[in-house]
Amino acid sequence: MRMRKKKHGAERLAACSAILCERPEVPFTGESGNFPRVAPIRLEIGCGKGGFSCAMAEKNPNVNFYAMEKVSDVLVIAAERAMGEADRRPDNLRFLRGDAATLPEWFADGALEGIYLNFSDPWPKAGHKKRRLTYRAFLTLYFNALKAGGFLALKTDNDGLFDFTLEELEFLGYTPLWQTRDLHASPYNEGNVMTEYEKQFSEAGKNINALYVIKP
Ligand code: SAH
């Protein structure tokens, strides 16, 4: 997501320090004390403006959520939204400024119960495929961070990225538990929380692809 440079970005982010985590010296485990309650941990990678993680945290009080975003000017929008009203601020949601490539520096192997990838940048040129967040090297990081029985859930408008993801999963020996080319018309839509991009694309009539893989 490209944004015009935000004024006072650093100060605005600093004002959200209550819900931001710095990159730890020792990677977080499932028990790390960033949350008031010990609970299963899920991570959204590339949270954008944060609507999905905010809504998921509210809907699932017995799960602790991290939302990771690499672009500070986008992260600040998400974090300010979550800071919003102090009395309604979810205590099970924390934000991380970082790149998916640094995942092992944030999370110990097996720390996560679930990972969400929503509308990741498609990087359509063949020469850029290693930048796609579902390139095999990224998927390997995700599956290392997941515990056995944990899940990777992906949604994308981009049919090419979806096909590529299925190929990369197959290369690594993973078969999705389910997949659909039209999430909103499928049985898997029950309980679905729409992201900002998802609302835009589906309002424009685009089918939404989705898949769900479990780590054996
Ligand atoms: N998930 C949101 C935003 C999708 S746009 C939604 O569905 O509405 C993709 C987001 O991923 C952008 O905000 C972009 O900055 C972020 N992103 C891209 N590459 C990333 C990476 N390597 N690590 C972390 N975030 C990344």
Side-chain angles (χ1 to χ4, degrees):
M1 190 182 280
R2 287 194 193 282
M3 306 280 298
R4 209 179 310 140
K5 191 86 194 128
K6 285 258 166 343
K7 260 194 180 169
H8 312 302
E11 294 105 280
R12 285 173 57 187
L13 214 47
C16 301
S17 61
I19 55 168
L20 279 174
C21 297
E22 295 296 323
R23 199 187 299 183
E25 276 170 30
V26 179
F28 300 136
T29 65
E31 314 270 292
S32 296
N34 290 317
F35 302 97
R37 292 178 301 280
V38 173
I41 294 175
R42 302 185 198 168
L43 166 72
E44 183 188 10
I45 299 177
C47 70
K49 293 180 184 169
F52 177 82
S53 279
C54 286
M56 288 295 283
E58 201 169 330
K59 262 183 83 163
N60 300 278
N62 298 321
V63 177
N64 289 331
F65 288 88
Y66 287 106
M68 174 182 267
E69 171 56 54
K70 74 168 181 184
V71 178
S72 304
D73 289 349
V74 179
L75 181 68
V76 78
I77 296 172
E80 284 179 345
R81 168 194 206 135
M83 288 289 285
E85 306 124 72
D87 54 329
R88 290 193 58 223
R89 188 180 302 160
D91 61 4
N92 59 334
L93 174 59
R94 296 289 180 263
F95 291 85
L96 313 174
R97 178 155 58 94
D99 192 300
T102 64
L103 202 67
E105 295 169 41
W106 290 93
F107 295 102
D109 286 0
L112 300 175
E113 175 195 63
I115 295 180
Y116 298 97
L117 284 175
N118 294 322
F119 299 83
S120 305
D121 301 335
W123 293 105
K125 286 185 191 161
H128 288 158
K129 72 174 185 182
K130 292 185 179 180
R131 300 185 191 182
R132 296 175 195 155
L133 288 185
T134 54
Y135 179 62
R136 57 196 64 176
F138 282 108
L139 290 177
T140 302
L141 298 182
Y142 309 153
F143 284 110
N144 286 342
L146 285 171
K147 60 186 178 191
F151 68 85
L152 172 68
L154 171 136
K155 297 194 273 188
T156 179
D157 61 297
N158 192 284
D159 304 326
L161 182 69
F162 194 65
D163 292 337
F164 174 79
T165 303
L166 291 169
E167 286 166 24
E168 293 297 283
L169 285 167
E170 192 183 343
F171 174 82
L172 294 174
Y174 292 101
T175 308
L177 181 66
W178 59 260
Q179 55 174 293
T180 173
R181 300 271 171 180
D182 191 353
L183 174 64
H184 297 168
S186 81
Y188 309 113
N189 197 44
E190 203 187 313
N192 179 48
V193 168
M194 291 225 258
T195 77
E196 283 88 354
Y197 272 51
E198 185 171 359
K199 284 176 200 151
Q200 282 179 29
F201 283 116
S202 59
E203 274 163 22
K206 182 70 187 71
N207 62 300
I208 304 299
N209 304 285
L211 62 79
Y212 188 91
V213 198
I214 290 185
K215 176 173 169 174

